[in-house]
């Protein structure tokens, strides 16, 4: 029953969402993926996680006139598109029509990047992504307790701020932690300068649009990442090489990636060694097929960073990915937690040198096992 003065949300929006959910199992079965129960289950869960992200992004965090920070990845549970456990990711809609103030603190935060983009990767706006401006902790002045205040506005120049171009749409913040299980950084805050404090009431049409875009977002990202990982598996099987950045990722200067696909059968270990660039931050994250980091909240060692991994006397790092600890001398064991394959990524930040040569080798731990390196 609709009361006088009320406008009902168009039924088509809920029907669209319901149809997307109803048709998902059939569409999902057509995606490239390993024939493993764990990968199928996690892929279904991924769609549900992306649906919650989409509902937040396109209903709750959509108006640049009333900005707020959304975390697509959250507390080690919800994950998105190659997350790193040792980083926090915040984003807010912005527009060059407005000026903004961002406040935060470097307490329990080792590094920070603020980046302004145009476009998106959601599949809903269908607009190309472009990096407009970026700063790191090197361009941020803080108070004695680590607090900072930044300006986000068109034409901004100098320290403690980033500029907005006419097509600016998103402010993204990456914060690097020493230990995500221990560190508790203060929340970031963003507010628009001037204008009404409270947003206008929600309308039925806006909610309908948000529902449809949330459904599009969930399916688009599930499909896109499955196809992208399928290609990576073919081209980078148990190998790591630089990730091509055509502009879709478009990270700030000094931020580089190696990526690949790992597959470790029972009785094998994947040994990875490299010499880190001097002064650079690095992290290595093996992920499941859906580009989600493995479960780290309960103390399992499933990633490594320059903050928690010491090189040997020659300056090299050796990591080993295996189902059980192979006890290689001097190597850091990373657990697979029931997974036998997935994606993997090195992140390098504040890296202005060439990426290091990385040696990767699949080692048979059992003399009786055959050749399963292909």
């Amino acid at each position: 029953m609709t009361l006088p003065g009320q406008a009902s949300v168009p039924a088509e929006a809920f029907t669209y969402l319901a149809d997307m959910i109803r048709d998902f199992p059939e569409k999902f079965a057509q995606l490239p993926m390993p024939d493993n129960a764990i990968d199928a289950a996690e892929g279904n869960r991924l769609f549900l996680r992306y649906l919650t992200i989409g509902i937040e992004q396109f209903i709750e965090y959509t108006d640049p006139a009333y900005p707020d920070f959304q975390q697509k990845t959250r507390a080690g549970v919800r994950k998105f598109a190659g997350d790193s456990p040792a980083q926090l990711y915040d984003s807010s809609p912005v527009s060059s029509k407005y000026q903004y103030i961002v406040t935060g603190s470097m307490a329990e935060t080792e590094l920070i990047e603020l980046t302004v983009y145009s476009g998106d990767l959601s599949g809903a706006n269908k607009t190309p992504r472009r990096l407009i401006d970026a700063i790191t902790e090197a361009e941020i002045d803080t108070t004695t307790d680590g607090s900072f205040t930044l300006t986000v506005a068109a034409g901004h120049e100098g320290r403690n701020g980033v500029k907005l171009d006419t097509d600016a749409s998103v402010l993204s913040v990456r914060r690097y932690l020493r230990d995500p299980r221990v560190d508790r950084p203060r929340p970031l805050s963003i507010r628009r300068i001037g204008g009404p404090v409270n947003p206008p009431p929600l309308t039925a049409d806006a909610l309908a649009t948000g529902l449809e875009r949330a459904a599009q977002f969930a399916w688009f990202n599930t499909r896109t990442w499955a196809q992208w990982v399928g290609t990576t598996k073919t081209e980078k099987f148990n190998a790591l090489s630089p990730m091509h950045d055509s502009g879709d990722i478009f990270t700030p200067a000094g931020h580089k990636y190696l990526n690949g696909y790992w597959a470790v059968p029972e009785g094998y270990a994947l040994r990875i060694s490299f010499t880190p660039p001097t002064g650079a931050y690095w992290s290595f994250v093996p992920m499941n097929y859906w580009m989600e980091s493995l479960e780290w909240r309960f103390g399992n060692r499933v990633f490594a960073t320059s903050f928690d991994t010491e090189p040997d006397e020659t300056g090299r790092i050796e990591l080993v990915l295996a189902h059980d600890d192979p006890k290689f001398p001097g190597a850091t064991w990373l657990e697979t937690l029931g997974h036998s394959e997935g994606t993997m990524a090195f992140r390098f930040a504040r890296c202005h040198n060439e990426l290091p040569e990385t040696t990767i080798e699949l080692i048979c731990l059992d003399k009786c096992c055959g050749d399963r390196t292909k």
Side-chain angles (χ1 to χ4, degrees), residues 42 45 49 73-79 83-88 179-184 292-303 335 337:
E42 290 180 344
R45 182 182 65 185
R49 286 176 167 176
T73 62
R74 183 178 298 158
V77 177
R78 196 172 70 181
K79 305 174 182 185
D83 66 288
S84 171
Q87 291 184 35
L88 294 178
D179 185 344
R181 289 178 288 262
V182 175
D183 295 336
R184 293 293 180 267
E292 296 179 304
S293 62
L294 305 184
E295 179 59 76
W296 54 265
R297 292 174 296 159
F298 306 106
N300 300 89
R301 186 76 142 108
V302 294
F303 67 95
E335 304 176 60
L337 301 184

Side-chain angles (χ1 to χ4, degrees), residues 21 24 41-55 78 218 222:
I21 295 173
F24 175 75
E42 290 180 344
N44 280 272
R45 182 182 65 185
L46 181 90
F47 174 74
L48 297 175
R49 286 176 167 176
Y50 281 4
L51 188 58
T52 68
I53 294 172
I55 289 172
R78 196 172 70 181
T222 302

Side-chain angles (χ1 to χ4, degrees), residues 63 66 196-202:
D63 191 347
Y66 301 94
V197 175
N198 296 315
L202 179 67

Side-chain angles (χ1 to χ4, degrees), residues 326-369:
K327 294 181 169 48
F328 290 172
T332 298
W333 172 46
L334 302 180
E335 304 176 60
T336 61
L337 301 184
H339 299 80
S340 59
E341 58 187 295
T343 54
M344 56 182 170
F346 264 112
R347 290 169 171 81
F348 296 90
R350 317 302 181 265
C351 179
H352 300 283
N353 301 317
E354 294 297 319
L355 288 171
E357 284 192 21
T358 303
T359 301
I360 184 165
E361 180 183 11
L362 187 63
I363 300 172
C364 179
L365 304 174
D366 185 345
K367 294 180 180 179
C368 296
C369 66

Side-chain angles (χ1 to χ4, degrees), residues 69-73 88-92 113 170-175 187-188:
F69 281 114
Q70 177 198 17
Q71 289 189 334
K72 291 185 174 69
T73 62
L88 294 178
Y89 305 88
D90 298 87
S91 63
S92 174
E113 297 158 358
V170 176
L171 172 66
S172 176
V173 185
R174 299 179 185 91
R175 288 180 286 175
L188 296 171

